Each structure stands twice: as C-alpha cells, then as structure tokens.
Amino acid sequence: MANLALCYALQNNKDKLLSLKETYGTLMAESKHKNIFQFLTTDTTFSGALTSTEFGKIDSFADTLKKVFHEKEKTSSS
C-alpha cells in the first residue's frame, strides 16, 4: 500500500490518496510501513514541495523524507 500511495502522491492524485487512507489507514497503522504511508496520505505540501521555489518547504519535505527512510533502515536491520 505504501508503494501505491507513493504513486498517487507523485501523480498529485489527492482523491485516490484520501480513498486509500480511508480504506487502508487502520491496517497500515499496524504495518512496518506506517510512517511512509501516513506521510504520503496526510494532507502535506508533498506535491507543492517538489515544484515550489520556497526553499523552506523543500527543506522540510526532505527532512521528513529522511526521517521516514531512517526509520525504515532501523526496522530493516533489526
């Protein structure tokens, strides 16, 4: 589901993201991929950060993404 959420986010398909969150949110909350799923399906500036000239938004997006993947590394190496 996290991969599908990423695809929808990259397409800026907010309707599909909302539907995905409503349908699978509870299930994904117990998954090892919960952080990335929550990040992608939460109303963030995800799509805006990719095209924005506001460097603060880009930095914030990058920091959040780093945290998500850092958590994934921790769970993978355990």
Side-chain angles (χ1 to χ4, degrees), residues 46-61:
F46 178 77
S47 61
L50 294 176
T51 59
S52 176
T53 57
E54 296 175 53
F55 293 108
K57 286 183 181 180
I58 294 169
D59 287 341
S60 176
F61 170 76

Side-chain angles (χ1 to χ4, degrees), residues 17-47:
L17 281 171
L18 180 60
S19 176
L20 196 66
K21 183 178 182 176
E22 289 174 354
T23 305
Y24 297 102
T26 303
L27 177 67
M28 290 302 293
E30 299 173 14
S31 165
K32 67 179 182 177
H33 304 291
K34 66 183 176 187
N35 292 336
I36 188 71
F37 184 81
Q38 182 181 7
F39 171 68
L40 292 171
T41 59
T42 301
D43 188 20
T44 64
T45 57
F46 178 77
S47 61

